Amino acid sequence: MKVNDSFCTAVGKEKSDVEGRGHYYIWDLKPEEYAAGEYVCLETEEEVLRAQKTLLFDEKVKTRRGLREFKTYKSPIYDDHHELIGTVGCAIDVTDEKRLMEKLINAAETDTLTKLYNRRSFYKYMNNIREAKEPVSVFYLDLDNFKKINDTYGHEVGDELLCKVARILEAVFKDGICVRFGGDEFVCALEGSKGEAELACYAESFLGELAQLIGDYDNFAGLSASIGVVYTEAIDDVDILLKKSDVAMYEAKNSGKAAYRIAK
């Protein structure tokens, strides 16, 4: 019945071309497109009419600027006899704000260089597993001779190496969480029951992929990794579990590097 200028800007039409027209025409939608998409505009109208009170919705709307996200307040309208005759709505475009919030959350939970998760995310992941009383495996990885490569070829080459290692970790431990714990140390965790043979398979798979990477780049010669592995049916203390995997990693490193140890 009536729209304001901002509404016209969103749909790219004049008031004279909007007022008195139907939903699908106004938003340039076909009924089948609406049904197949994430649109809920018509459903929220019906919900307000049923509830007969003001409601707040998160709506995805097709506009001239593409798909946008709105916070929409909708209220019922009554005539002079208190008969329900329709709704009135006020929508606020929050697309840019939501995207900014997603970026901020992502920045708070990921490592800037490698784009892996950070310590904060690791503890959040592990505490969720602890509360659920689920089994988990932890792989503590340290790159052998990384400092030598950094000192010889510079931090740019070192950063490139860390990013390539991160991609290998994501491929090998794709069902879990991969974390850059600091410097050249990484931690990966996998939820679910795992036997010793399966744990060994993960460690050997990573070491094999890393060896392939090293063979492809002369600058990475001499690099290897030491891995400490620990498995538990239920987490009592995240830090104690992490310490056990760290100790196992140093046992692997002291045994000659390019190896893994599974904590007993």
Side-chain angles (χ1 to χ4, degrees):
M1 295 176 64
K2 293 291 180 183
V3 295
N4 64 3
D5 293 336
S6 294
F7 186 96
C8 294
T9 299
V11 298
K13 292 181 173 68
E14 300 293 330
K15 287 183 181 180
S16 59
D17 199 25
V18 169
E19 294 173 354
R21 303 301 296 260
H23 176 86
Y24 295 112
Y25 172 81
I26 293 172
W27 296 101
D28 292 325
L29 284 168
K30 297 178 180 179
E32 55 269 25
E33 181 184 3
Y34 181 91
E38 300 178 71
Y39 311 109
V40 293
C41 186
L42 293 178
E43 286 81 353
T44 56
E45 298 284 352
E46 294 169 358
E47 192 172 337
V48 171
L49 291 173
R50 286 194 301 270
Q52 296 190 33
K53 63 180 182 179
T54 300
L55 300 175
L56 173 64
F57 301 98
D58 291 308
E59 296 184 327
K60 290 189 176 180
V61 178
K62 180 183 177 183
T63 73
R64 291 290 180 177
R65 297 173 61 195
L67 193 64
R68 307 291 292 179
E69 296 188 55
F70 286 0
K71 284 281 187 185
T72 307
Y73 290 89
K74 293 185 178 180
S75 300
I77 302 176
Y78 301 89
D79 64 13
D80 293 339
H81 303 288
H82 203 67
E83 293 293 330
L84 186 62
I85 61 172
T87 66
V88 60
C90 175
I92 304 170
D93 188 335
V94 296
T95 310
D96 296 335
E97 288 81 356
K98 288 193 71 173
R99 288 175 181 170
L100 177 59
M101 183 60 66
E102 289 169 359
K103 288 181 179 179
L104 291 173
I105 292 172
N106 184 63
E109 296 185 345
T110 59
D111 174 60
T112 304
L113 175 64
T114 64
K115 308 308 178 186
L116 294 180
Y117 288 104
N118 59 18
R119 282 175 178 254
R120 180 170 182 251
S121 297
F122 172 77
Y123 279 99
K124 181 179 178 181
Y125 177 87
M126 295 296 284
N127 284 326
N128 286 339
I129 294 175
R130 180 176 57 80
E131 291 174 4
K133 296 181 173 17
E134 292 293 328
V136 67
S137 311
V138 175
F139 297 74
Y140 201 116
L141 303 95
D142 182 80
L143 298 181
D144 306 318
N145 305 318
F146 175 74
K147 184 177 184 303
K148 182 179 179 181
I149 291 174
N150 243 354
D151 293 343
T152 303
Y153 300 106
H155 288 283
E156 186 173 338
V157 171
D159 289 349
E160 179 188 6
L161 171 58
L162 292 173
C163 291
K164 290 185 180 300
V165 169
R167 303 292 79 78
I168 294 175
L169 289 171
E170 287 178 325
V172 173
F173 298 96
K174 60 181 178 293
D175 297 324
I177 185 173
C178 298
V179 179
R180 185 186 179 198
F181 229 59
D184 59 346
E185 293 183 329
F186 300 87
V187 174
C188 299
L190 293 168
E191 185 177 359
S193 297
K194 301 280 187 299
E196 190 166 314
E198 192 173 0
L199 296 175
C201 184
Y202 277 102
E204 290 169 2
S205 178
F206 171 76
L207 290 174
E209 292 293 330
L210 181 63
Q212 180 64 52
L213 172 68
I214 295 166
D216 292 340
Y217 291 86
D218 293 338
N219 290 351
F220 299 163
L223 184 81
S224 62
S226 298
I227 308 173
V229 187
V230 63
Y231 171 80
T232 182
E233 289 291 337
I235 301 172
D236 290 323
D237 187 293
V238 175
D239 287 321
I240 291 175
L241 192 66
L242 194 62
K243 180 63 177 177
K244 287 181 178 179
S245 64
D246 186 33
V247 169
M249 181 273 291
Y250 274 103
E251 290 175 356
K253 190 179 288 287
N254 293 333
S255 71
K257 303 179 180 179
Y260 65 91
R261 288 289 182 273
I262 300 176
K264 301 299 183 184

